[in-house]
Amino acid sequence: MKIHLTPSLLMAAALVACSALMAEDAKKESVSVAFHESDKFTDARSSFGGETDKHYLDTLATHLKKSAERRLAPGQKLEVTFTDIDLAGDFVPTNANAHDVRVIRDIWIPRQKLTFRLLDEQGQVIKEGERRLTDLNFMNNPGLIGRSEPLFYDKALLTDWIAKELKS
C-alpha cells in the first residue's frame, strides 16, 4: 500500500503539529516566576559567604512551575515573585574544606516570602496576595521522601503552598 501525500494533506498535518506545539507553549507560560532583588535574599547561596546562586533559583522556579501547572484550570495563569528566600540549613564555617556543605538542622528552617496573582483566561484576578512560607517542623514530616534531592525541603515548602493555594 502506497500513501500519496497531497499538498492539502501536508498542510493539514503541519497545522496540527503547529497547534500542538502552541498548546504546549501556552501551558508552559501558564506559570511565571520572578525574583525581586535576589542579591539581597537572606540565604540562597551554595557556599559560605557566597552570593545568591542562580542555579538554586532556577531549580526552585522549575519546581514551582511543574507543581502549579498540574493544579491550574485551563486558561488560568499564575504569576509569582519571590521577595526573599532563606534556604533550609546553613553553612558551618568550622572546616575550611567544607565551606560549600549545607548542614540541615531543625533550627535553620526554610523560609520564603513571595507575592502572587492567579488570573483567569480573560486576565482577571481570581486571587492575589503576599505569603510568608515556613515549616517549623520541616525535618519531622514522615510523608516526605527523597530527602537527598537538592533543595528538597525548600521545594516541599512550595509544593505544600501550591496544594493549599490552588485547591479546587
Side-chain angles (χ1 to χ4, degrees):
M1 177 166 134
K2 194 172 189 179
I3 299 174
H4 296 285
L5 298 176
T6 64
S8 58
L9 184 59
L10 286 173
M11 181 65 85
L15 285 173
V16 167
C18 269
S19 63
L21 287 173
M22 288 173 60
E24 185 63 30
D25 283 345
K27 184 165 185 146
K28 287 179 185 173
E29 295 174 10
S30 62
V31 180
S32 67
V33 178
F35 299 94
H36 180 70
E37 297 183 346
S38 62
D39 56 322
K40 296 180 182 177
F41 284 178
T42 301
D43 173 20
R45 59 190 192 275
S46 58
S47 65
F48 180 75
E51 296 185 8
T52 296
D53 189 320
K54 184 180 177 334
H55 175 71
Y56 280 3
L57 300 183
D58 290 344
T59 299
L60 292 174
T62 299
H63 178 78
L64 176 62
K65 288 177 182 180
K66 286 180 183 177
S67 296
E69 284 174 352
R70 290 189 287 247
R71 294 190 170 270
L72 291 175
Q76 286 185 336
K77 294 193 182 300
L78 178 65
E79 300 169 349
V80 178
T81 301
F82 287 90
T83 54
D84 194 22
I85 294 175
D86 187 355
L87 298 173
D90 208 345
F91 300 97
V92 183
T94 56
N95 183 348
N97 295 328
H99 71 281
D100 60 349
V101 176
R102 181 174 290 275
V103 177
I104 306 294
R105 292 194 185 136
D106 58 0
I107 60 170
W108 296 313
I109 62 174
R111 294 182 177 104
Q112 298 170 16
K113 184 178 174 187
L114 57 86
T115 59
F116 76 97
R117 291 185 346 142
L118 178 62
L119 309 169
D120 65 15
E121 58 269 353
Q122 286 82 33
Q124 300 297 314
V125 176
I126 299 171
K127 186 191 274 190
E128 65 183 335
E130 180 179 312
R131 300 291 184 264
R132 294 174 188 263
L133 311 179
T134 189
D135 184 358
L136 296 174
N137 198 32
F138 75 103
M139 291 185 71
N140 298 317
N141 187 340
L144 300 178
I145 56 173
R147 294 174 196 238
S148 61
E149 180 181 325
L151 304 178
F152 172 78
Y153 295 107
D154 310 283
K155 290 190 237 177
L157 194 61
L158 288 171
T159 301
D160 290 346
W161 172 67
I162 288 294
K164 291 172 188 166
E165 201 72 62
L166 300 181
K167 61 183 167 189
S168 307

